[in-house]
Amino acid sequence: MPLPQQKIFTAKDYWNLPEDQRAELIDGQLYNMAPPSRLHQELVMELASTIRNYIKSHHGTCKVYPAPFAVDLNADDQTYVEPDISVICDSKKLTDRGCSGAPDFIIEIVSPSSRKMDYGKKMWLYMNAGVREYWIVDPSMKRTTLYRFEDTEAPMIVSFEHPIQMGIYPELKITIANLLE
């Protein structure tokens, strides 16, 4: 007896989802996204504005985009993700629909429904796609896991109480606990 065929979804399926349905397309499979919590949104807003303000005040050219913002991660028609925060420094990657290729920096805010995806599948996707730096901000654990994929060092885990030095902007230090005051 033949095995059942698994449907492979494409960008066309992703872009034709109903407006009120958020999902990500990873390796041809659609993954529904739960609505974010208030704390999740507060962290996205504070982190995105802190990074954006720093870039603007230093006359940088990188752009900061909070979710929902489509990232065609591998420019392959089968992987569209919506990181909580994307920083793109190569303006040629920006399109009317989002980003085509890997952002330089990504932040994901962990929620109970995204924990396995953020720490597992997305970490590998981002590393293999060429993302330079990836932060996993985990409110329930009150810590951030930092991956600097250009370095050969292991990931760092930093408490919300301690400043984090941003790899792509070494002068920028962010203490997450201060953003929640």
Side-chain angles (χ1 to χ4, degrees):
M1 179 178 250
L3 293 173
Q5 295 290 323
Q6 188 173 13
K7 179 168 174 47
I8 301 297
F9 294 93
T10 67
K12 182 178 178 184
D13 299 304
Y14 173 79
W15 289 109
N16 285 319
L17 289 171
E19 288 229 7
D20 62 342
Q21 183 179 356
R22 286 192 59 213
E24 293 181 303
L25 176 66
I26 299 175
D27 297 329
Q29 296 303 303
L30 285 170
Y31 295 88
N32 286 321
M33 298 172 69
S37 69
R38 181 191 59 78
L39 176 59
H40 181 282
Q41 290 303 91
E42 186 175 335
L43 282 165
V44 168
M45 177 68 127
E46 293 297 328
L47 284 162
S49 62
T50 298
I51 296 166
R52 179 185 171 275
N53 290 343
Y54 176 85
I55 292 169
K56 280 192 166 275
S57 71
H58 288 79
H59 309 288
T61 57
C62 298
K63 299 289 184 181
V64 180
Y65 296 95
F69 180 73
V71 174
D72 182 3
L73 196 59
N74 298 314
D76 69 358
D77 198 42
Q78 291 189 357
T79 301
Y80 275 82
V81 292
E82 292 188 13
D84 290 316
I85 300 172
S86 301
V87 177
I88 295 102
C89 300
D90 181 355
S91 63
K92 292 182 206 123
K93 292 182 178 180
L94 295 171
T95 70
D96 287 341
R97 286 197 150 172
C99 178
S100 182
D104 294 87
F105 177 75
I106 288 177
I107 296 176
E108 294 284 7
I109 313 294
V110 174
S111 61
S113 65
S114 73
R115 177 171 298 285
K116 186 176 177 183
M117 186 72 79
D118 293 338
Y119 280 102
K121 188 175 282 282
K122 283 189 175 180
M123 188 277 297
W124 287 106
L125 278 174
Y126 296 157
M127 179 178 69
N128 291 322
V131 172
R132 294 168 52 197
E133 184 169 357
Y134 174 41
W135 290 11
I136 303 172
V137 177
D138 194 331
S140 69
M141 302 295 275
K142 294 185 172 34
R143 67 182 187 197
T144 302
T145 303
L146 303 130
Y147 293 91
R148 294 195 175 117
F149 296 127
E150 296 174 321
D151 295 343
T152 57
E153 297 177 23
M156 293 186 297
I157 298 174
V158 180
S159 161
F160 276 12
E161 303 297 323
H162 293 94
I164 303 169
Q165 182 177 1
M166 197 168 164
I168 67 170
Y169 288 109
E171 306 83 29
L172 176 57
K173 292 184 174 122
I174 300 172
T175 303
I176 303 231
N178 293 348
L179 300 177
L180 299 173
E181 294 177 344

